[in-house]
Amino acid sequence: MSAPPAVEAPVRPRTDPPPPRNARRLRDRLRRDWPLLVMVAPAFLLVLVFHYVPTLGNVVAFQDYNPFAGANPFEAFLYSEWIGFGNFEALFEDPSFWDSLRNTLAILVFQLIFYFPLPIMLALLLHSVLSPRLRAFIQSVVYLPHFFSWVLVVSFFQLMLGGAGLLAQVVRDAGYTPPEIMTNPDTFIVLVTSQAVWKDAGWGMIIFLAALAAIDPTLYEAAAADGAGRWRRLWHITLPGLRSVIILLLILRLGDALNVGFEQFILQRDAVGRQAAEVLDTYVYYRGVVVQQYGIGAAAGLFKAVVGLVLILAANKIAHRFGEQGIYQKS
Amino acid sequence: MTTIAPRRSSRSSRRPVWEERPSVLGQLGKGTILTLVTAAVLVPLWVVLVTSLSSAETINEAGGYVLLPRELDPSAYVVIFSGGLIGRAVWISTLITFIGTAISLTLTVLAAYGLSRSNSVGHRPLLFYFLLTFLIYPGMIPSYLVVTGLGLKNNLLALTLPTAIQAFNLVVLRAFFMNIPSELIDSARIDGAGEFRILTRIVLPLSKAVVAVIGLFYAVGYWNAFFNAILYIDRNDLQPLQRLLQGYILLGQAPPNVGGGAVVHIPGIGYSAPPSLAIKMAVVIVTVVPALIVYPFIQRHFTKGVIIGAVKG
């Protein structure tokens, strides 16, 4: 389409109708909209102070930050020495940093394989339950643990499976030695995944249930008329219907990849041991807050944030390449 | 005509005519899995609840956890609510939850309304400003330095202000506000109402349900907050309930008022010393209960909210 010639641009002498939006002067719009801006201001300030200022504060990663160089952390920041990439060098030479990175990635991969499909399966299963009352009941029950804190979830696991827990009590009564479930580093990855499943698989199911409800039932009818059995309908109608949601959630999971659940790990790190239970977040915490090597802790945090950002952007790009919408439109 | 047709049971009528009957084995498998899934959630809750309400004898007899209730012994709960360290923690958690939710909800509603007018000055960059918090994490160490730098260490505000604005909730609320017919708002404006009046008199009454849900989301978040307490609260008397739970269950500390022969008076029952296990379980239950109370209210609405958020986020 070629643009129409601009000769017909109307010159309107009348001032009666309001001028077009973009022509209105900023000052007039401000006079109209200032109450709205005032309303946004408090939230704006809080996010500025507690989100953007700390984001900028990541420059500490390039300092030999000394908390005693000034009267408060801000002054200390001003007087601390700049050391370029020194913190990163120290970080990459620290074997326990690599341990934590390896653990984080292992847990991520493990959960992508063993956790990610579960909400989909659960949604399919529940969707096939005919009684609406039964379905509502099961839904209410499986959503529930999502509202529990991690402390509570880990506590429940401890109470049920721990050394003094219910399972141990039953096994001991039967005359056997109870297994060490909560403190075994070798099976820790299974344990944390089960905890994540217990807490959030039901919740993760919501969005799939909604997607399932949105699939046009006439598609199933037509497929059934064509002789497609139950499994063929699942494969050719249901799963394609879920495709875009699955991809969206995969991207989100990848973007969140390095946040494998800080509270969950810090709660169990000491019981299981650093070798298996140290993830990037707990590493940042112990290195930064506990040992007070703020520069190195910040460097590890920054490393994590940047890798996470790159992952989510890359995943989104891949989604676009496959013709999916991803989390934001290609504009 | 229809009356002659054989009545089908309500069960089979829900199945589309073209769909096969499930096999017996399939139904059995399905039933087993769903039963296991529900039991996995309900059994731990049940065991903990029953144990928390059991007396020392019952617990001793059972050798620990009690599966079948024998009697109701509320002494563990009396200990919790009679003050001391646990009562203090319950109070702190309640306080944080109320103050935090009030701050969060007020600021989120204001900001969501302020951004909901699609042609207002600067709403686009401002929205982007909030959405960007989804993508960028500030990092633990700089956040820690900022919060302590503001002098908020051992201040309950450190548990509320840093997490006060959740962009997700803001986006959900804004989407809801934008769906309110603009004619309503325009007519109010013609009648001379200012923005604040429009928000409180027209928009909020129309969105009570969604505001309530967002408020409950915030409340659950504050009640469950644990990590910020680790970072910013050293003092024992300021610890929220979740920290106590960690101490009693995960670190194996004994709850106070136990072992030292401390007895509590229970109206109608007399004096008794609640067993340590019962107190631990009672702390678990007290930690769970707010989620349980809040849950039925949220449950009806959250599906929609979650989906809006997921799509817009």
Side-chain angles (χ1 to χ4, degrees):
Chain A
M1 276 218 317
S2 60
V7 284
E8 285 189 273
V11 182
R12 278 194 285 183
R14 294 183 304 150
T15 50
D16 199 4
R21 193 169 66 88
N22 50 4
R24 191 187 274 184
R25 305 229 339 251
L26 183 66
R27 201 194 305 163
D28 291 343
R29 293 178 65 203
L30 266 180
R31 187 172 302 149
R32 185 193 63 182
D33 288 339
W34 70 264
L36 296 174
L37 293 176
V38 170
M39 286 175 172
V40 182
F44 181 91
L45 285 178
L46 268 189
V47 170
L48 184 72
V49 171
F50 292 109
H51 199 97
Y52 285 101
V53 169
T55 302
L56 292 178
N58 271 307
V59 290
V60 167
F62 303 97
Q63 282 192 326
D64 182 17
Y65 183 84
N66 176 8
F68 306 110
N72 60 53
F74 301 123
E75 272 185 35
F77 161 72
L78 287 178
Y79 299 127
S80 284
E81 194 189 340
W82 292 91
I83 55 167
F85 285 93
N87 286 325
F88 288 91
E89 280 161 24
L91 187 67
F92 295 146
E93 277 163 18
D94 181 3
S96 59
F97 168 75
W98 295 108
D99 283 346
S100 70
L101 182 63
R102 199 174 313 117
N103 286 336
T104 308
L105 293 176
I107 289 163
L108 169 73
V109 171
F110 193 84
Q111 295 200 346
L112 278 181
I113 298 172
F114 291 99
Y115 169 75
F116 189 79
L118 278 176
I120 305 175
M121 293 195 229
L122 204 55
L124 288 174
L125 197 59
L126 200 58
H127 191 67
S128 74
V129 171
L130 284 176
S131 155
R133 203 173 299 165
L134 186 62
R135 206 162 49 199
F137 171 73
I138 299 175
Q139 271 185 34
S140 316
V141 172
V142 295
Y143 290 170
L144 187 57
H146 173 75
F147 293 96
F148 295 171
S149 62
W150 268 118
V151 188
L152 203 49
V153 172
V154 177
S155 293
F156 270 129
F157 269 75
Q158 175 76 29
L159 297 175
M160 295 300 118
L161 308 176
L166 183 66
L167 180 73
Q169 183 183 320
V170 172
V171 171
R172 239 190 309 269
D173 285 350
Y176 299 97
T177 318
E180 280 190 19
I181 295 172
M182 295 297 288
T183 52
N184 188 345
D186 297 331
T187 52
F188 181 67
I189 196 167
V190 183
L191 177 72
V192 288
T193 306
S194 339
Q195 288 164 348
V197 167
W198 192 78
K199 188 176 194 289
D200 278 329
W203 181 256
M205 178 181 85
I206 291 182
I207 196 161
F208 294 109
L209 279 178
L212 281 174
I215 295 176
D216 185 357
T218 57
L219 287 177
Y220 288 108
E221 206 178 330
D226 288 347
R230 176 172 318 162
W231 297 106
R232 292 201 67 119
R233 293 201 299 267
L234 178 72
W235 185 252
H236 291 293
I237 299 172
T238 310
L239 287 183
L242 294 180
R243 194 176 108 133
S244 57
V245 179
I246 293 176
I247 290 180
L248 174 75
L249 290 187
L250 259 180
I251 298 173
L252 289 178
R253 183 70 200 88
L254 273 182
D256 222 19
L258 303 184
N259 300 316
V260 281
F262 177 68
E263 297 193 354
Q264 187 186 6
F265 290 93
I266 201 147
L267 286 166
Q268 302 181 82
R269 179 180 178 271
D270 294 337
V272 178
R274 212 161 46 77
Q275 282 296 334
E278 187 93 294
V279 292
L280 282 176
D281 278 320
T282 54
Y283 179 85
V284 172
Y285 173 72
Y286 279 97
R287 210 58 205 265
V289 178
V290 177
V291 192
Q292 303 207 332
Q293 290 176 324
Y294 296 103
I296 293 180
L302 189 58
F303 172 83
K304 190 190 115 188
V306 171
V307 173
L309 191 61
V310 169
L311 274 178
I312 197 166
L313 294 179
N316 207 44
K317 193 145 211 138
I318 294 169
H320 283 156
R321 192 147 301 165
F322 280 100
E324 291 289 340
Q325 211 180 17
I327 40 164
Y328 54 83
Q329 300 280 354
K330 195 164 34 172
S331 52
Chain B
M1 289 286 262
T2 45
T3 48
I4 303 169
R7 259 192 76 199
R8 293 191 300 175
S9 78
S10 66
R11 222 188 127 64
S12 62
S13 68
R14 268 184 234 110
R15 192 192 313 283
V17 278
W18 43 264
E19 193 165 304
E20 312 83 348
R21 288 203 132 277
S23 67
V24 178
L25 209 67
Q27 273 195 312
L28 218 63
K30 215 195 275 184
T32 316
I33 296 175
L34 288 175
T35 311
L36 284 179
V37 167
T38 16
V41 177
L42 293 183
V43 168
L45 272 177
W46 170 256
V47 172
V48 169
L49 179 67
V50 170
T51 309
S52 77
L53 285 168
S54 293
S55 64
E57 302 94 73
T58 321
I59 290 178
N60 276 337
E61 236 170 80
Y65 298 87
V66 184
L67 293 176
L68 296 172
R70 192 82 63 73
E71 80 292 283
L72 280 185
D73 182 353
S75 53
Y77 292 90
V78 175
V79 168
I80 288 183
F81 289 106
S82 64
L85 203 56
I86 309 181
R88 179 92 193 142
V90 172
W91 163 242
I92 295 283
S93 278
T94 314
L95 198 68
I96 295 168
T97 303
F98 274 98
I99 294 178
T101 307
I103 296 176
S104 289
L105 204 53
T106 312
L107 299 193
T108 309
V109 164
L110 283 174
Y113 180 74
L115 293 173
S116 69
R117 209 60 57 69
S118 58
N119 63 353
S120 68
V121 176
H123 80 279
R124 216 177 287 271
L126 278 174
L127 188 63
F128 184 71
Y129 171 88
F130 286 108
L131 287 181
L132 205 58
T133 60
F134 277 133
L135 276 184
I136 297 176
Y137 298 98
M140 186 192 307
I141 303 301
S143 301
Y144 177 80
L145 293 178
V146 167
V147 173
T148 49
L150 292 172
L152 293 179
K153 187 119 191 168
N154 280 323
N155 183 329
L156 293 186
L157 283 180
L159 305 185
T160 53
L161 290 184
T163 50
I165 304 292
Q166 303 288 336
F168 175 84
N169 294 337
L170 180 69
V171 170
V172 171
L173 263 183
R174 174 179 176 268
F176 191 88
F177 289 167
M178 289 182 84
N179 277 336
I180 291 176
S182 59
E183 291 84 3
L184 272 176
I185 293 170
D186 289 340
S187 68
R189 185 165 304 120
I190 290 167
D191 290 345
E195 296 292 353
F196 192 73
R197 205 179 192 45
I198 294 175
L199 173 63
T200 51
R201 291 292 162 82
I202 294 179
V203 173
L204 278 184
L206 285 174
S207 32
K208 266 185 222 148
V210 68
V211 170
V213 171
I214 299 288
L216 293 174
F217 269 130
Y218 274 127
V220 170
Y222 282 119
W223 181 265
N224 285 343
F226 165 72
F227 173 55
N228 280 348
I230 289 195
L231 277 184
Y232 305 126
I233 307 291
D234 299 334
R235 271 168 53 185
N236 272 339
D237 59 333
L238 289 182
Q239 297 294 355
L241 198 53
Q242 307 283 347
R243 284 278 278 166
L244 240 58
L245 195 64
Q246 180 207 12
Y248 295 161
I249 309 291
L250 301 179
L251 305 180
Q253 298 161 0
N257 299 352
V258 181
V263 286
V264 284
H265 178 252
I266 297 147
I269 295 182
Y271 291 88
S272 92
S276 155
L277 190 64
I279 293 186
K280 286 184 179 179
M281 297 306 113
V283 173
V284 176
I285 292 297
V286 170
T287 320
V288 172
V289 159
L292 288 183
I293 296 174
V294 154
Y295 183 65
F297 297 101
I298 309 186
Q299 217 237 342
R300 281 184 295 146
H301 303 285
F302 58 31
T303 314
K304 210 168 133 204
V306 167
I307 290 161
I308 293 176
V311 170
K312 303 266 167 167

